Amino acid sequence: MLFKRKKRTADIDRKGVSELVRALGKDRVLTEIEDRLCYSYDGTKQKAVPDIVIRPGTTSDVAATLKIANRHGIPVCSRGAGTGLSGGAVPLQGGIILDLKGMNRILSICPEDFTATVEPGVVTKYLQDEVAKYGLFYPPDPSSAAFSTVGGNVAECAGGITGLKYGVTRDYILALEIVLSDGSVIHTGRKTRRSVTGYDLTRLFVGSEGTLGIFTKITVKLIPEPEKIETLAAFFSERDDAIDAADLVIENSILPRTLEFMDHMSISAVRGYGGITLDEGVKALLLIDIDGTGENIKHDLPIVESACRKKNALKVKVAETGKERNAIWSVRRSISPALYTIASHKLNEDVCVPRSKIKELLQKIDTINEKQEIFVANFGHIGDGNIHVNIMYSDEPGQEEIAESVVQRVMEEVVELGGTISGEHGIGNRKSQFMELEISPQELSIMKKFKDFFDPKGIMNPGKLFPSSL
Ligand SMILES: Cc1cc2nc3c(=O)[nH]c(=O)nc-3n(C[C@H](O)[C@H](O)[C@H](O)COP(=O)(O)OP(=O)(O)OC[C@H]3O[C@@H](n4cnc5c(N)ncnc54)[C@H](O)[C@@H]3O)c2cc1C
């Protein structure tokens, strides 16, 4: 979808661009259409072309850009790798795209303090690999870790497959350097593992989706790398058995590193994809990693296996080699691309319900889609209650409208079950119309007051997070 925007202002055309070139140098300011088009989209496939692309190299470049943008009232949309699934990095109202991928240095790794400080453009997997050299572990692990940035992860409070045991990005952010909308620079948090001095501004900014300020330095908390990981896949003929098995694992006081679920439709999509073989009778799948010391694993693995068998698993396969482990996880990694073999369009929702309500949620989704006018594939982080509801539709007339009405009804049911409309992808513009389902007017108005305080001119990522009525 290409967004129509207000026309370019004369200020952006003339004064703004020349001031930016003077402040940053012409190599950091791109205005050619070929460059601007490259920054017009994100993982949602929406499109809006920015007027200017800025590629800052330092915090001062970001501060100078915001000072000028603020003076001229130019919208600023920051961008990491553009992998977001809620439209956050799409410059809906044009203006400036701030490409932070060039600020990609790991500034320090302190094994003695269990911390690392990075620039926002560092790719998450690169950080994970570098700290692993010190025997340390940075757990937030979105499936996009190999290409998304730490800055983008902080802005979305990205989750991932290790969330059940280790938490999400928010749980690992100790301190931030932030450039505010007027170009001033603040520092929140401390590099210590605890600090209770004053309000927790760091937490306010994590998950703020580029609407409050721009992170230019990020200090993360690290933990020791677990000694060993074991992987198993459990195959079921009934969806409810897989859900019961996941419950039983946790009831046995085992907290797996990952506890992932795939339903019948997700399995149908990956079956045969990239040479993946799965028996026809398999209608639900659990993929489980457990980690710890050799001793822990010796204790936990048989309990997990037995929980799956007790709940009628057709087969439980424990990976014996790294190759087998990769083969098991390649099934999970293939879902997103494989779904496009079912239909050409996908609305990828990331709702989250209390774990005890997962069965009910999936039943409700079946009811919503009773006439099967559309394909719905459900998979995800069953241990956290974070289910990816993928609503697939074709180009045929009416299909998009059906898909959107399914999304609306799924959101209503999720909120009814005490859940949330986004467990990890953020709101962006894709989910802002559902905010009022979940967030009370009083809470929304408090959020809006924070927004107005930090960004009085409304230049920071306009069109995101808040419903258009606010
Ligand atoms: C195949 C695939 C798998 C995915 N798996 C997961 C998953 O398992 N879990 C999950 O949570 N997400 C997942 N995502 C979504 C996405 O990768 C995450 O939201 C990620 O955090 C976005 O990072 P990015 O660098 O691409 O940010 P972008 O998409 O570029 O930006 C995302 C938001 O962050 C803001 N932003 C970026 N940098 C900064 C900064 N320095 N300061 C302030 N704001 C900033 C942008 O304005 C935007 O609002 C997946 C996406 C894909 C395509």
Side-chain angles (χ1 to χ4, degrees), residues 42-43 77-85 88-89 100 120 141-144 147-149 151-153 155-161 209-210 213-216 336 381 388 424-425 461:
D42 73 355
C77 179
S78 38
R79 177 185 169 100
T83 68
L85 294 174
L100 292 146
D141 194 24
S143 305
S144 56
F147 35 93
S148 64
T149 66
N153 292 176
E156 297 291 7
C157 187
I161 59 172
E209 303 190 21
I214 294 167
F215 315 128
T216 42
S336 286
H381 320 307
H388 293 291
E424 57 180 17
H425 295 162
N461 214 359

Side-chain angles (χ1 to χ4, degrees), residues 57 100-111 114-134 136 138 145 148-151 191 216-220 222:
L100 292 146
K101 213 136 184 255
M103 291 177 66
N104 58 5
R105 288 175 306 155
I106 293 184
L107 300 169
S108 65
I109 297 175
C110 296
F114 282 70
T115 62
T117 299
V118 301
E119 291 183 330
V122 167
V123 169
T124 312
K125 174 82 168 60
Y126 178 62
L127 172 63
Q128 290 168 336
D129 290 348
E130 288 301 302
V131 303
K133 293 179 184 164
Y134 298 82
L136 295 170
Y138 176 63
S148 64
T149 66
V150 178
K191 291 188 179 179
T216 42
K217 288 195 184 90
I218 299 161
T219 298
V220 302
L222 305 170

Side-chain angles (χ1 to χ4, degrees), residues 344-358:
S344 46
H345 302 283
K346 178 169 78 163
L347 297 175
N348 174 355
E349 301 306 332
D350 64 318
V351 298
C352 190
V353 290
R355 240 174 27 79
S356 56
K357 305 282 184 197
I358 292 172

Side-chain angles (χ1 to χ4, degrees), residues 128-381:
Q128 290 168 336
D129 290 348
E130 288 301 302
V131 303
K133 293 179 184 164
Y134 298 82
L136 295 170
F137 179 33
Y138 176 63
D141 194 24
S143 305
S144 56
F147 35 93
S148 64
T149 66
V150 178
N153 292 176
V154 176
E156 297 291 7
C157 187
I161 59 172
T162 57
L164 172 64
K165 182 163 184 179
Y166 293 108
V168 298
T169 301
R170 173 174 288 127
D171 304 309
Y172 292 87
I173 306 305
L174 292 176
L176 294 170
E177 177 180 89
I178 306 166
V179 182
L180 298 180
S181 68
D182 61 358
S184 57
V185 180
I186 61 166
H187 294 89
T188 70
R190 295 290 168 272
K191 291 188 179 179
T192 54
R193 286 177 87 82
R194 23 166 118 184
S195 165
V196 291
T197 313
Y199 296 137
D200 192 343
L201 291 182
T202 308
R203 282 221 158 200
L204 175 64
F205 277 84
V206 176
S208 61
E209 303 190 21
T211 64
L212 297 181
I214 294 167
F215 315 128
T216 42
K217 288 195 184 90
I218 299 161
T219 298
V220 302
K221 180 167 82 176
L222 305 170
I223 59 174
E225 178 105 271
E227 195 179 289
K228 211 171 161 200
I229 304 176
E230 289 282 2
T231 296
L232 69 84
F235 305 82
F236 299 85
S237 58
E238 296 293 335
R239 181 175 77 192
D240 283 358
D241 287 341
I243 300 171
D244 290 342
D247 284 346
L248 190 56
V249 168
I250 291 171
E251 276 161 30
N252 277 300
S253 303
I254 308 277
L255 211 46
R257 178 188 173 102
T258 61
L259 182 47
E260 293 286 298
F261 163 80
M262 288 170 64
D263 77 351
H264 181 198
M265 187 58 67
S266 316
I267 292 168
S268 305
V270 297
R271 188 177 281 122
Y273 187 85
I276 291 171
T277 50
L278 284 161
D279 293 345
E280 282 298 327
V282 177
K283 306 276 192 240
L285 191 51
L286 288 182
L287 302 171
I288 307 175
D289 272 357
I290 50 174
D291 68 2
T293 61
E295 279 304 304
N296 297 146
I297 288 179
K298 219 192 285 167
H299 172 267
D300 292 354
L301 190 60
I303 299 178
V304 175
E305 278 189 83
S306 137
C308 295
R309 290 193 208 286
K310 267 192 199 144
K311 295 297 171 187
N312 310 318
L314 298 169
K315 189 170 107 185
V316 179
K317 165 81 192 143
V318 179
E320 277 163 25
T321 59
K323 205 169 154 203
E324 281 187 3
R325 176 165 197 260
N326 268 338
I328 289 177
W329 278 106
S330 78
V331 174
R332 170 68 176 84
R333 279 195 294 269
S334 307
I335 306 177
S336 286
L339 282 173
Y340 287 108
T341 58
I342 296 179
S344 46
H345 302 283
K346 178 169 78 163
L347 297 175
N348 174 355
E349 301 306 332
D350 64 318
V351 298
C352 190
V353 290
R355 240 174 27 79
S356 56
K357 305 282 184 197
I358 292 172
K359 224 184 246 182
E360 210 175 321
L361 172 68
L362 295 179
Q363 277 155 5
K364 284 187 188 289
I365 295 172
D366 288 347
T367 310
I368 292 170
N369 192 31
E370 211 161 30
K371 292 195 203 132
Q372 306 211 318
E373 290 173 296
I374 216 147
F375 292 111
V376 179
N378 303 296
F379 64 89
H381 320 307

